[in-house]
């Protein structure tokens, strides 16, 4: 059975080890488009981490979204609070990947909006920060066994004893395997301000597929609808938007490097991402998500 507890009833599908193909809207796919390939040389077992890209909008063939998926039987997820987002008293990891953990990380990526731009809450290490968790919002939920889920809070997940971290951000962008209706109009500002949601800008998201794999997506000059379509094309049954805009969207691979001063070597998922590949190896103002090998 897939890890995570809530995933039962989400449908069958291929075993977690299957590479599969992500759907792409392009009439003539580019080389490698939609084909999941193993990310080599990472601190995890072969095939546990896979990546591809898709072009989700036939009317905009220049728009591409990079995708990574993680077999949660081989990795565990950690939510790391930042010094300012959510702030508060010092947290266990002190807003970075500490040296004691650096033999383990596979990747790390940005979390959600600044809390002044979302009504969502934050929970970790047995306490709330900023505000209590809010019903109805998209939530990255991490359990004590290290598995993560993307859920609508109050409907799909609640604060049970096995929940160790929750990061909320706006409303789901994919639900029941499809991009939710209303993304193109954003009535009620469920996904942020109209100005931000209709821009062509850097965007990122995280979702969960029917086999319990965690799926991350990011791209530049992307609309919210295109991002949601890309996550759905990648097999996500639910997904939430993370942070957006230049200089914010970050995804770094990490490889162990005991001879180096940091203990690991970082590499960007996309060379055009603006932040350094060693981001998260020092205290960061923003909260982020770390993926570790089990």
């Amino acid at each position: 059975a897939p890890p995570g507890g809530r995933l039962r009833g989400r449908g069958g599908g291929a075993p977690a080890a299957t590479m599969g193909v992500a759907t792409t809207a392009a009439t003539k796919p580019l080389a490698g488009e939609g084909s999941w390939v193993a990310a080599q040389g990472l601190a995890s077992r072969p095939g546990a981490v896979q990546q591809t890209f898709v072009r989700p909008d036939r009317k905009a063939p220049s728009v591409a979204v990079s995708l990574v998926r993680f077999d949660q039987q081989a990795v565990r997820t950690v939510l790391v609070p930042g010094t300012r987002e959510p702030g508060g008293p010092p947290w266990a990891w002190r807003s970075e990947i500490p040296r004691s953990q650096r033999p383990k990380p596979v990747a790390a990526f940005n979390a959600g909006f600044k809390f002044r731009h979302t009504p969502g809450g934050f929970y970790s290490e047995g306490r709330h920060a900023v505000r209590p968790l809010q019903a109805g919002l998209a939530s990255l939920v991490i359990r004590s066994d290290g598995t993560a889920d993307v859920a609508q809070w109050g409907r799909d997940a609640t604060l049970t004893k096995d929940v160790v971290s929750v990061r909320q951000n706006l409303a789901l962008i994919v639900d029941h395997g499809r991009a939710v209706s209303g993304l193109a109009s954003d009535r009620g500002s469920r996904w942020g301000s109209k100005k931000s949601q209709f821009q062509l800008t850097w965007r990122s998201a995280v979702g969960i597929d029917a086999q319990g794999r965690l799926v991350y997506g990011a791209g530049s000059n992307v609309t919210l609808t295109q991002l949601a379509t890309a996550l759905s094309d990648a097999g996500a049954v639910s997904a939430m938007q993370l942070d957006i805009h230049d200089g914010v969207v970050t995804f770094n691979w990490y490889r162990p490097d005991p001879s180096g001063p940091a203990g690991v070597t970082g590499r960007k998922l996309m060379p055009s991402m603006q932040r350094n590949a060693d981001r998260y190896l020092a205290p960061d103002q923003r909260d982020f998500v770390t993926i570790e090998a089990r």
Side-chain angles (χ1 to χ4, degrees), residues 139-154:
S139 305
L140 177 65
V141 181
I142 303 172
R143 296 185 172 85
S144 56
D145 64 358
T147 60
D149 196 5
V150 176
Q152 180 175 303
W153 194 252

Side-chain angles (χ1 to χ4, degrees), residues 49-294:
V49 183
Q50 303 160 6
Q51 63 185 118
T52 189
F53 72 96
V54 297
R55 289 178 293 163
D57 190 343
R58 187 170 297 177
K59 296 180 180 179
S62 64
V63 172
V65 174
S66 292
L67 297 161
V68 181
R69 71 182 182 188
F70 302 93
D71 180 350
Q72 297 200 78
Q73 297 176 33
V75 302
R76 57 187 299 114
T77 302
V78 181
L79 177 64
V80 184
T83 58
R84 294 190 179 182
E85 302 289 335
W91 300 85
W93 281 20
R94 295 187 177 272
S95 305
E96 65 178 321
I97 302 173
R99 184 166 291 275
S100 62
Q101 297 297 121
R102 290 183 189 174
K104 300 180 182 180
V106 174
F109 53 84
N110 60 282
F113 282 26
K114 290 183 177 179
F115 285 97
R116 68 174 183 266
H117 297 145
T118 173
F122 186 101
Y123 175 84
S124 195
E125 299 180 23
R127 71 181 196 256
H128 292 86
V130 184
R131 63 182 68 91
L133 299 170
Q134 305 295 305
L137 294 186
S139 305
L140 177 65
V141 181
I142 303 172
R143 296 185 172 85
S144 56
D145 64 358
T147 60
D149 196 5
V150 176
Q152 180 175 303
W153 194 252
R155 183 193 71 180
D156 308 320
T158 57
L159 197 56
T160 52
K161 291 182 179 180
D162 67 331
V163 172
V164 296
S165 297
V166 182
R167 208 309 183 175
Q168 296 190 310
N169 196 48
L170 309 171
L172 290 173
I173 61 172
V174 175
D175 198 11
H176 300 292
R178 296 186 178 186
V180 301
S181 60
L183 294 177
S185 59
D186 195 20
R187 293 179 181 174
S189 300
R190 296 179 65 204
W191 299 280
S193 69
K194 289 186 178 295
K195 180 180 179 181
S196 68
Q197 293 315 300
F198 300 133
Q199 284 180 300
L200 294 171
T201 190
W202 273 99
R203 296 183 187 275
S204 59
V206 66
I208 200 87
D209 73 7
Q211 288 75 44
R213 293 172 291 209
L214 198 67
V215 183
Y216 174 90
S220 62
N221 297 311
V222 181
T223 68
L224 181 58
T225 299
Q226 290 166 342
L227 180 68
T229 300
L231 268 289
S232 176
D233 290 346
V237 292
S238 62
M240 61 186 281
Q241 184 172 213
L242 299 176
D243 213 352
I244 66 175
H245 296 324
D246 295 352
V248 177
V249 176
T250 301
F251 182 109
N252 292 333
W253 297 115
Y254 296 113
R255 288 177 169 81
D257 181 12
S259 64
V264 297
T265 298
R267 180 173 58 85
K268 301 177 187 180
L269 172 63
M270 301 168 66
S272 53
M273 288 178 166
Q274 297 177 12
R275 300 297 291 269
N276 292 335
D278 60 358
R279 188 182 185 188
Y280 307 134
L281 301 180
D284 202 272
Q285 295 182 2
R286 306 291 300 276
D287 57 318
F288 63 95
V289 177
T290 300
I291 307 295
E292 293 187 332
R294 288 188 180 273

Side-chain angles (χ1 to χ4, degrees), residues 14-23 34-37 50-52 69 213:
T18 300
M19 300 298 265
V21 178
T23 305
S35 298
W36 292 103
V37 296
Q50 303 160 6
Q51 63 185 118
T52 189
R69 71 182 182 188
R213 293 172 291 209

Side-chain angles (χ1 to χ4, degrees), residues 2-21:
R6 189 179 71 85
L7 302 177
R8 59 186 181 277
R10 284 188 163 192
T18 300
M19 300 298 265
V21 178

